[in-house]
Amino acid sequence: MTTNLNVYDILEERGFLKQASHPERIKELLGEEKVTFYIGFDPTADSLHVGHYVALMTMAHMQRAGHRPIILLGGGTAMVGDPSGKTDMRKMLSEDDIKHNVANFKQQMGRLISFEGENGAIVVNNSDWISDLNFIGFMRDIGVHFSVNRMLAAECYKQRMEGGLTFFEMSYMLMQSYDFLVLNRRYNCVLEMGGDDQWSNMLGGVDLIRKIERKPAFCLTTSLLTNSEGKKMGKTERGAVWLDKEKLPVYDFYQYWRNVPDADVERCLSLLTFIPMEKVRAMCSEGGAAMNEAKRTLAFTITEQVHGTEEALRAQQAAEALFGGGGSLANIPTLELGAEEIEASGLRVVDLLAMSGLCKSKSDARRMIEQKSVYVDEQQVTDTYATVPHEALGEGVLLKKGKKGFVRIIGK
């Protein structure tokens, strides 16, 4: 799919653009030729989450406009730890952990990014050139171009100074800049893109290429996924909004977007879907029923992009069964209990709330019951020692916490 519009204008209109090293030249470049660009992902977990999704959408828009993406998986830099936006040193990962995470990332990215054709995405892992670096040679050839004074002035390092910043972490900027240099030499990659928290590291790469290769290079940062108050989005009571359905059920993923505050709907539609902006603005210009439909569109569209049409329809039907009087309860999150689990829990509501993930712990579950926020099949639970009848597990019982937390309990 191609477009006559400069992709720079598309990204700007949709609210992606934050900072650019050379804004006018980047826009000209993207309009004049097909550019090879890269975005880096550190495989520090076994799944991507919605915090990565703006970067994936940026990549998808660029590829649809004819530009070629490089997906840089930071198998090497993940073993260093990026201090950007962190107050503590990042946990170190084993090589096996990183390989497993990289494989999962590739599979999840494939729903948005094409790996085929003339501008098919290239996947590289920086461990291929970082793992065997010679320290003396690297510091002589690369480290000499970096000013410690400038590095310490960068926001990502200033935040860590009081608590203690290790030299190991300081080397992250050098490593990321070296990535850009390697990709520039191997693939003629001239543009690095990524979240705005990477601005200082990205500028380091631009400067390094210009100093060593004596040719232009550019960087462009995109907005982080934040709400109308400027706070990062992507957290639920159960943790991050993961793209892996084993870490976050599809229904819960769908419901997260279905329950986005009104003030954040237009921004989410702009950044996280391909719906044309005139339609986005029209959907969000009215309140009431129109805004409710916009949320429904947002939830279904993102769920379909991440999990596929079939899973999105199931999640939508489950939501309608619970809140709209239609659809099938068979599609809501379900906890299946075997004989051993039934015996261990005694089918106590407190245990079931904790086992299902509706509550963080048994003490949290007891607190919810005491606050009269727990229901079993629409019957309010008032006793913290209450149990679910064993015979009810055949058809399944509906366990509810608050207005939006549901799980179906059945016996295997």
Side-chain angles (χ1 to χ4, degrees):
M1 178 179 176
T2 59
T3 176
N4 293 325
L5 282 176
N6 187 321
V7 69
Y8 191 96
D9 293 324
I10 294 172
L11 294 175
E12 188 170 47
E13 180 186 27
R14 300 190 78 95
F16 283 91
L17 302 188
K18 194 72 175 180
Q19 299 186 82
S21 59
H22 308 78
E24 293 182 5
R25 182 64 191 115
I26 291 173
K27 183 174 180 177
E28 288 176 6
L29 192 66
L30 293 174
E32 292 171 354
E33 57 186 270
K34 302 307 178 188
V35 168
T36 298
F37 69 99
Y38 95 90
I39 298 179
F41 299 84
D42 274 342
T44 50
D46 57 2
S47 171
L48 296 167
H49 54 73
V50 298
H52 298 110
Y53 210 69
V54 173
L56 289 178
M57 289 297 295
T58 306
M59 188 176 287
H61 281 293
M62 289 282 289
Q63 187 178 51
R64 289 181 175 207
H67 305 293
R68 182 173 67 157
I70 297 176
I71 297 168
L72 174 72
L73 297 170
T77 42
M79 301 186 75
V80 176
D82 175 14
S84 303
K86 309 293 188 304
T87 55
D88 297 301
M89 187 171 173
R90 177 180 282 175
K91 175 187 173 185
M92 297 296 114
L93 298 175
S94 71
E95 289 188 27
D96 287 341
D97 287 337
I98 291 170
K99 286 179 181 178
H100 172 72
N101 296 350
V102 164
N104 289 353
F105 279 22
K106 287 181 182 178
Q107 185 176 15
Q108 292 171 353
M109 290 173 175
R111 287 196 175 274
L112 273 186
I113 308 301
S114 172
F115 297 96
E116 306 293 334
E118 186 179 345
N119 70 328
I122 302 168
V123 180
V124 297
N125 189 331
N126 67 7
S127 66
D128 293 344
W129 57 80
I130 284 180
S131 296
D132 297 324
L133 279 176
N134 175 278
F135 180 76
I136 297 298
F138 180 78
M139 297 309 292
R140 181 192 62 213
D141 297 336
I142 305 300
V144 69
H145 296 288
F146 289 81
S147 161
V148 173
N149 289 345
R150 281 190 63 186
M151 291 174 70
L152 292 178
E155 193 61 35
C156 61
Y157 291 116
K158 284 165 63 177
Q159 293 176 12
R160 293 276 287 117
M161 284 297 290
E162 289 186 13
L165 177 68
T166 68
F167 178 79
F168 197 46
E169 292 173 283
M170 275 198 72
S171 67
Y172 193 92
M173 182 182 289
L174 277 68
M175 297 293 188
Q176 185 168 331
S177 300
Y178 184 62
D179 287 342
F180 197 178
L181 177 63
V182 170
L183 295 178
N184 180 265
R185 288 171 170 173
R186 293 187 181 184
Y187 303 101
N188 192 32
C189 176
V190 296
L191 174 64
E192 178 179 2
M193 303 178 75
D196 198 51
D197 56 346
Q198 292 295 316
W199 176 242
S200 298
N201 291 336
M202 292 163 72
L203 283 176
V206 169
D207 290 342
L208 184 64
I209 291 171
R210 287 171 176 255
K211 288 174 181 176
I212 293 181
E213 299 297 303
R214 304 291 181 183
K215 60 182 183 181
F218 311 93
C219 67
L220 185 156
T221 68
T222 53
S223 302
L224 302 177
L225 187 60
T226 56
N227 62 18
S228 58
E229 298 174 351
K231 297 177 181 177
K232 279 189 179 182
M233 296 180 66
K235 289 287 186 182
T236 70
E237 289 185 6
R238 302 191 194 191
V241 180
W242 299 102
L243 306 192
D244 184 344
K245 66 180 181 181
E246 299 301 320
K247 295 175 76 71
L248 184 73
V250 178
Y251 170 82
D252 291 333
F253 183 89
Y254 176 93
Q255 281 299 109
Y256 177 83
W257 303 108
R258 188 68 179 82
N259 295 321
V260 163
D262 290 3
D264 301 324
V265 175
E266 183 171 343
R267 179 171 172 78
C268 289
L269 283 167
S270 303
L271 293 176
L272 306 177
T273 79
F274 297 102
I275 297 171
M277 280 307 297
E278 58 269 22
K279 186 174 179 181
V280 169
R281 285 188 283 264
M283 283 194 293
C284 298
S285 61
E286 304 174 33
M291 180 58 73
N292 190 52
E293 184 59 28
K295 289 184 182 183
R296 192 169 180 269
T297 299
L298 171 66
F300 183 84
T301 304
I302 298 180
T303 305
E304 183 179 37
Q305 289 173 186
V306 173
H307 295 293
T309 303
E310 187 176 338
E311 292 279 15
L313 285 170
R314 287 177 181 169
Q316 186 181 67
Q317 289 167 4
E320 289 175 354
L322 290 168
F323 302 109
S328 170
L329 286 175
N331 294 320
I332 72 169
T334 299
L335 174 64
E336 294 188 51
L337 300 178
E340 291 184 3
E341 293 167 306
I342 291 172
E343 183 178 352
S345 69
L347 295 181
R348 289 180 292 272
V349 174
V350 165
D351 291 70
L352 297 177
L353 286 166
M355 290 169 63
S356 67
L358 284 182
C359 291
K360 298 176 183 177
S361 63
K362 292 182 183 180
S363 59
D364 181 34
R366 283 190 284 269
R367 187 162 51 250
M368 290 295 104
I369 291 173
E370 289 167 356
Q371 293 175 0
K372 304 188 186 306
S373 299
V374 175
Y375 293 81
V376 173
D377 286 338
E378 302 305 322
Q379 183 70 39
Q380 188 178 72
V381 179
T382 57
D383 184 359
T384 56
Y385 293 96
T387 60
V388 169
H390 188 284
E391 59 272 16
L393 295 184
E395 294 293 324
V397 295
L398 188 63
L399 187 61
K400 176 183 175 183
K401 187 202 79 171
K403 294 181 178 180
K404 298 170 182 175
F406 294 89
V407 69
R408 186 167 168 250
I409 310 291
I410 62 173
K412 290 183 181 179

